[in-house]
Amino acid sequence: MLSAARMEVIKQTVPVLEENGEALTRHFYQRMFRENPEVRGFFNPAHQHAGTQQRALAAAICAYARNIENPAVLAGAVELIAQKHVSLGIKAEHYPIVGENLLASIREVLGEAATDQIIDAWAEAYGMLADLFIQREREIYHSQTKTHGWQGFKRFVVQQREAASDNIVSLYLAPEDGQPLQPHSPGQYVTLRLTPENGVPVMRNYSLSNRPGSARFRISVKRELAGEAGAPDGVCSNYLHDRVKQGDVVELAPPCGEFVLKPVVEAGKPLVLIAGGVGITPILSMLHAALEQQVGREVIFIQCALNGAVRPFEKELAALRGDYPNLSVHVRLSEATAEDRARALHDSEGLLDSVLLDQLIGNRAAEFYLCGPAPMLKHGWRLLKQRAVEDADIHFEFFGPAGDLAA
């Protein structure tokens, strides 16, 4: 436990961290990759290039400093990060590397403002935080072994490829050793590791889009193209689209993630699942589980997509809608084409809005799960808060480094 004096030192650093947080974290990553290149593979270069990784770390450091007297309020954030660390294979021996580079970066970026008193206080605070993560991650690793039968990476065979849309390919993966899969928690992701032609292994998290308890895992991967000049195309997604074929072998780590469908708490409360683009992948797994496990519960599924060509899982959703009378599916396209209108397979056009929510839900209380691109999540969160939905009834997941929906 930090002394009161050191807690006060940490709190006094909050303003300077808020002002210099991104500069500090940019410097930290550059320094760590230079001094300890062995950890570079844990990080997605696209997130580094976009600055989202740096901003997420800066926000986390500031949040820890602001709540240094009561870090328990950060339990949700700690769980999210611990799950992510386990998915990538981060272990206790990696924490000293981070600590050394973080403290050195504080000195190098803040200069004379980083007194010995500040460095000593942050060294102790970091040590406490590292111990917290190490303990929780040890528990998750143990749970993975007990539930799924392995930890680390295991060889899986690509048994089938199929297009989910024009820009999303689904891969069906089975263990090479023939061992049966245990059900994942609906909403979880796996980590895929492969080595493209440059010989540098890459790891990426992909949500499981299959029904929990299926004989095979299914990941459904969007081809990620550079969003701006100079930014890299998605290394892993493009390799999966262009090079990985049926019969190939990839490596998977066991399912991880805290964005999972929760048991019913209040009988009669509808479940509303809102998916944007490839964000449908964990939501679709939740949908399968809810229909099978939460029998008779009203389920409202809202799928948002740009147009019909990039709308995934059209046939699967149509089949579910036909099989379950308690399920209603509403498809909204933001930029519907003439072909979309001719086929008449969508229900409305435009962005998610309060009119649609009123139409589908009315003034009833409901439980919401959202996944999609950050702008859609922020927009959806604001719509739900305008409806006075309690925070406990709003569950969401960012693809990529976590952000702040209220920002």
Side-chain angles (χ1 to χ4, degrees):
M1 182 70 179
L2 283 176
S3 67
R6 286 202 162 160
M7 284 186 187
E8 187 59 32
V9 171
I10 296 293
K11 288 191 293 183
Q12 288 173 0
T13 64
V14 169
V16 70
L17 289 174
E18 290 177 338
E19 180 179 352
N20 298 281
E22 286 190 43
L24 171 64
T25 54
R26 282 195 301 272
H27 182 92
F28 159 74
Y29 282 116
Q30 292 168 358
R31 188 185 200 282
M32 184 169 65
F33 294 158
R34 182 182 67 248
E35 299 295 326
N36 300 95
E38 67 272 20
V39 303
R40 184 183 288 273
F42 291 121
F43 299 90
N44 187 326
H47 297 156
Q48 289 286 316
H49 185 276
T52 51
Q53 191 85 57
Q54 295 90 328
R55 287 191 290 274
L57 178 59
I61 291 172
C62 289
Y64 182 50
R66 284 193 296 268
N67 295 280
I68 193 66
E69 292 178 309
N70 185 24
V73 302
L74 303 175
V78 168
E79 182 65 15
L80 184 153
I81 295 169
Q83 293 280 345
K84 186 71 70 175
H85 283 178
V86 169
S87 78
L88 298 171
I90 290 174
K91 297 290 184 68
E93 56 264 29
H94 296 115
Y95 280 88
I97 294 173
V98 173
E100 178 182 345
N101 285 285
L102 180 61
L103 294 173
S105 295
I106 292 175
R107 276 200 186 277
E108 292 162 7
V109 172
L110 301 186
E112 293 181 358
T115 63
D116 289 343
Q117 185 183 38
I118 287 175
I119 295 298
D120 290 345
W122 267 104
E124 186 174 350
Y126 174 79
M128 289 176 52
L129 187 62
D131 288 343
L132 178 66
F133 277 116
I134 290 168
Q135 176 58 34
R136 178 59 189 134
E137 289 158 15
R138 187 178 292 121
E139 294 170 354
I140 299 171
Y141 281 119
H142 176 74
S143 176
Q144 285 184 334
T145 303
K146 182 178 179 181
T147 301
H148 297 288
W150 90 96
Q151 64 174 254
F153 287 91
K154 178 174 176 173
R155 288 166 62 88
F156 277 68
V157 178
V158 179
Q159 289 193 339
Q160 181 182 347
R161 282 178 59 108
E162 67 179 15
S165 71
D166 283 3
N167 65 342
I168 296 174
V169 64
S170 287
L171 303 179
Y172 292 80
L173 308 166
E176 187 182 48
D177 62 11
Q179 293 298 307
L181 294 175
Q182 298 303 310
H184 66 280
S185 296
Q188 286 189 308
Y189 54 83
V190 291
T191 303
L192 180 145
R193 183 172 70 180
L194 52 78
T195 304
E197 291 178 337
N198 62 9
V200 179
V202 294
M203 296 182 288
R204 295 292 184 270
N205 299 140
Y206 292 111
S207 297
L208 291 166
S209 58
N210 58 282
R211 176 184 62 82
S214 300
R216 302 177 295 182
F217 284 150
R218 179 178 69 181
I219 60 172
S220 304
V221 181
K222 176 187 174 185
R223 184 190 292 275
E224 296 291 349
L225 302 176
E228 59 184 53
D233 289 337
V235 172
C236 198
S237 69
N238 282 274
Y239 189 84
L240 292 174
H241 272 257
D242 297 335
R243 304 303 300 271
V244 174
K245 59 188 183 298
Q246 185 173 324
D248 285 351
V249 173
V250 297
E251 294 179 303
L252 292 185
C256 275
E258 87 302 338
F259 177 63
V260 297
L261 182 67
K262 295 175 173 53
V264 178
V265 174
E266 185 177 335
K269 182 180 285 188
L271 173 65
V272 182
L273 304 172
I274 304 176
V278 75
I280 192 176
T281 50
I283 298 292
L284 184 58
S285 186
M286 290 181 182
L287 175 62
H288 280 283
L291 294 173
E292 292 187 4
Q293 300 168 14
Q294 301 179 5
V295 179
R297 185 183 192 184
E298 181 182 0
V299 180
I300 300 167
F301 192 96
I302 303 173
Q303 183 181 18
C304 302
L306 191 67
N307 56 54
V310 295
R311 177 204 163 194
F313 303 112
E314 175 188 310
K315 292 181 180 179
E316 188 167 335
L317 287 169
L320 289 173
R321 179 157 45 181
D323 291 341
Y324 293 92
N326 56 315
L327 169 65
S328 60
V329 176
H330 189 100
V331 178
R332 171 159 283 199
L333 302 181
S334 58
E335 297 183 16
T337 64
E339 182 180 353
D340 293 329
R341 297 186 183 106
R343 296 181 69 210
L345 294 177
H346 63 288
D347 301 290
S348 62
E349 297 181 20
L351 299 176
L352 182 70
D353 58 24
S354 58
V355 174
L356 179 60
L357 295 178
D358 287 341
Q359 172 190 331
L360 298 177
I361 306 163
N363 59 4
R364 296 176 295 166
E367 187 176 13
F368 296 84
Y369 289 78
L370 303 88
C371 189
M376 175 223 157
L377 287 183
K378 292 182 179 182
H379 177 64
W381 185 85
R382 291 183 184 118
L383 288 175
L384 296 182
K385 296 313 295 181
Q386 289 168 9
R387 296 171 62 86
V389 179
E390 297 290 337
D391 286 351
D393 283 332
I394 305 175
H395 314 282
F396 59 89
E397 181 172 59
F398 282 93
F399 276 5
D404 183 359
L405 290 187

